[in-house]
Amino acid sequence: QKEVEQNSGPLSVPEGAIASLNCTYSDRGSQSFFWYRQYSGKSPELIMSIYSNGDKEDGRFTAQLNKASQYVSLLIRDSQPSDSATYLCAVSDTGTASKLTFGTGTRLQVTL
Amino acid sequence: DTAVSQTPKYLVTQMGNDKSIKCEQNLGHDTMYWYKQDSKKFLKIMFSYNNKELIINETVPNRFSPKSPDKAHLNLHINSLELGDSAVYFCASSRDRGETQYFGPGTRLLVL
């Protein structure tokens, strides 16, 4: 059974701080990794994808991947109240995103 | 200019009934998906079609039957609804398998 684990939270950070979201996965054959953001009552939207070890930056977001440790993380710099949402980690065992296994998500609260 | 749309948005029905959910995408994508998100926010893939061909068929009861009349549409028919079928069902599409998946707004199904 392939698993993707996330701390359900809530993770509470003050506005302007760095939010760090973590995810571990069980399948060593996993090759593609994604972070989705889901606001309450809304659908998931992709914010980052990462395929190789190291860091990938996009604006205030940085995804980090360590395949040896089977660990992927998302850093959000200068957190804003609008970042308050549930962040879903998703993993694919092929080089494509055709079959994603999702974690249960981490709820992030950015406080004023 | 909705990208991925689903109907209905809400569905309340009695146990034992048969119901359908419809999904349409106007993005010109070749691949479409059905996901189920339970009350604990766990998002799990059910089916995927690529060019009207079933490519992913997860372990779901055979009361669930997807149908893809063309590349732009993927419907989900559910027979003999049970209480445990209550969830949010998301349709998604991608340009091809392995590409970014775009989610529809979801259909909130409540079985009484």
Side-chain angles (χ1 to χ4, degrees):
Chain A
Q1 181 81 7
K2 298 170 188 172
E3 291 184 352
V4 177
E5 301 283 344
Q6 293 181 257
N7 189 319
S8 60
L11 172 66
S12 185
V13 299
E15 184 177 6
I18 296 175
S20 177
L21 304 162
N22 305 315
C23 172
T24 58
Y25 58 94
S26 63
D27 183 9
R28 281 202 172 274
S30 300
Q31 297 188 29
S32 308
F33 306 86
F34 307 86
W35 283 100
Y36 282 80
R37 178 177 61 200
Q38 186 174 24
Y39 291 113
S40 181
K42 301 295 184 183
S43 56
E45 57 175 324
L46 181 72
I47 52 172
M48 290 286 287
S49 59
I50 187 166
Y51 303 94
S52 53
N53 280 329
D55 295 0
K56 179 181 177 183
E57 188 174 319
D58 183 1
R60 296 186 296 112
F61 298 97
T62 299
Q64 298 175 317
L65 175 61
N66 184 327
K67 288 186 179 180
S69 300
Q70 294 176 241
Y71 177 91
V72 58
S73 65
L74 179 70
L75 300 178
I76 306 175
R77 287 181 300 282
D78 188 24
S79 295
Q80 302 296 310
S82 59
D83 295 325
S84 298
T86 296
Y87 289 80
L88 302 170
C89 174
V91 171
S92 174
D93 61 358
T94 66
T96 67
S98 56
K99 181 177 174 180
L100 296 178
T101 300
F102 282 85
T104 52
T106 297
R107 189 157 65 91
L108 172 66
Q109 290 178 338
V110 180
T111 57
L112 296 171
Chain B
D1 55 346
T2 304
V4 183
S5 59
Q6 295 179 228
T7 54
K9 194 172 181 180
Y10 299 96
L11 186 53
V12 182
T13 188
Q14 299 287 331
M15 267 197 316
N17 284 350
D18 303 338
K19 291 293 179 186
S20 291
I21 307 171
K22 296 187 176 183
C23 178
E24 176 181 1
Q25 53 93 5
N26 63 4
L27 299 166
H29 288 170
D30 283 351
T31 309
M32 297 184 73
Y33 313 80
W34 277 113
Y35 287 87
K36 178 181 179 181
Q37 188 170 45
D38 62 24
S39 57
K40 295 181 179 178
K41 305 299 183 188
F42 183 52
L43 190 62
K44 186 170 168 58
I45 191 164
M46 301 173 70
F47 303 103
S48 177
Y49 273 75
N50 181 259
N51 266 318
K52 301 195 298 177
E53 179 187 350
L54 183 65
I55 57 171
I56 295 175
N57 186 354
E58 289 296 281
T59 307
V60 299
N62 56 15
R63 299 182 294 103
F64 291 79
S65 52
K67 279 191 172 53
S68 181
D70 55 59
K71 284 197 318 183
H73 296 85
L74 179 61
N75 303 324
L76 183 65
H77 187 76
I78 315 170
N79 288 326
S80 302
L81 278 156
E82 300 178 357
L83 294 176
D85 298 332
S86 297
V88 181
Y89 291 85
F90 286 103
C91 176
S93 74
S94 61
R95 188 168 53 183
D96 198 352
R97 37 183 136 183
E99 304 283 340
T100 298
Q101 294 183 25
Y102 296 89
F103 283 78
T107 295
R108 284 145 186 83
L109 171 65
L110 178 60
V111 182
L112 301 175

